[in-house]
Amino acid sequence: MVEHRDRAPSRFFRHGSGSISALAFAAGAVALWSTNALVGKSLLASHPVSQVQFLQFTGAALVFAAIRLMSRERAAPVTAGAALMALAIGFIGLVGTMVLQYIAFASMPVIEANLVAYTWPLMVAAAVIALQNPRRPALLGLAAVVGFIGVALVISGGRNQSWLQGELVGYVAAFGSALCMAFYSIMVGRVVTSPDRLLLPSSLIGVVLTFLWCARDGFTWLVGTDLALGLYLGAGPMGLGYYFWSRALKLEGSGKVAVVAYLTPIASTLLLTLSGERLTITAIVGAILVIGSCVAVGVERSEAENHV
């Protein structure tokens, strides 16, 4: 009996330590992601998407390579099928999410693209809860419906003329970006591959693809502040942001970590608003519905997992 009592606190301490580390990594990812739209907006005002993306993937590849070199973790043996699955998860999650997100930024108001693209936490929570026999399915269904009504209001913007004032490709790309990130967040915790090994090949593929994109558009080097900001987007929101989020999900893919992700649209929208971006009253209502529904689903997910 004594041995049993001694082990229980030890298990609790280890679990608590893992939870704290996971929350710290998640908070770091959110802090970096929150600056993504603001910095991206400033670069896209004077540079094509292809050049901004090339610098992003270059910065991210450098970060993942540095982490890989510093890591002492030995790669676990995997089958060819598992390796291909890991590559697909990394490619969809990193390349798919970021390329589609920046196409959206360049094709519609950035503040609206940002809100639509950051519906991925709602998609993640809804998908996971749906597969885990939710305690309050009616409440979750209502929250999801409210969230997507909010997306519709953001897209409409409350304008008198017509919906979809930006280019249609922008709205499709923003929603596609959210789907890619939701897929990555669900799948990354299910593979044994470490985050750096998972993301480095995808970032290198991204470098090659965006270089070819730049060559087609006409390649010119960014210099000075623009160069630094482009590399920051890669090293910060893309590189360390993805690495921190992946570590958080691998440590504890629970509702506690997921709830932190819902701070991203709040913080990023606030920064964009402070920089001069504006939403109509209707779009503001939509933004509140999107963020509120994300938080509601996230809290329910956290409670559901705590009762397991």
Side-chain angles (χ1 to χ4, degrees), residues 104-119:
F105 284 172
S107 306
M108 60 188 286
V110 172
I111 195 167
E112 296 180 9
N114 187 62
L115 283 166
V116 176
Y118 278 113
T119 57

Side-chain angles (χ1 to χ4, degrees), residues 36-187:
N36 178 53
L38 179 61
V39 178
K41 170 194 166 186
S42 67
L43 286 178
L44 290 172
S46 55
H47 302 288
V49 180
S50 57
Q51 291 184 13
V52 177
Q53 288 275 274
F54 175 68
L55 282 178
Q56 276 188 294
F57 280 103
T58 299
L62 291 173
V63 166
F64 296 141
I67 294 172
R68 178 88 290 276
L69 290 174
M70 292 186 293
S71 176
R72 297 181 179 179
E73 180 183 353
R74 292 185 177 181
V78 294
T79 63
L84 287 174
M85 175 61 72
L87 181 61
I89 292 171
F91 181 82
I92 293 171
L94 187 69
V95 180
T97 299
M98 298 308 298
V99 170
L100 289 174
Q101 186 181 83
Y102 270 75
I103 289 174
F105 284 172
S107 306
M108 60 188 286
V110 172
I111 195 167
E112 296 180 9
N114 187 62
L115 283 166
V116 176
Y118 278 113
T119 57
W120 66 262
L122 175 61
M123 297 177 184
V124 171
V128 172
I129 294 175
L131 297 173
Q132 292 182 350
N133 191 21
R135 297 169 60 237
R136 293 190 285 257
L139 176 61
L140 292 172
L142 177 61
V145 169
V146 168
F148 288 108
I149 289 174
V151 171
L153 291 176
V154 169
I155 291 174
S156 74
R159 302 176 181 89
N160 295 325
Q161 297 90 343
S162 62
W163 283 31
L164 304 176
Q165 292 298 298
E167 297 178 26
L168 178 59
V169 67
Y171 296 97
V172 174
F175 198 76
S177 174
L179 285 173
C180 287
M181 189 60 189
F183 170 80
Y184 179 80
S185 295
I186 292 170
M187 296 301 297

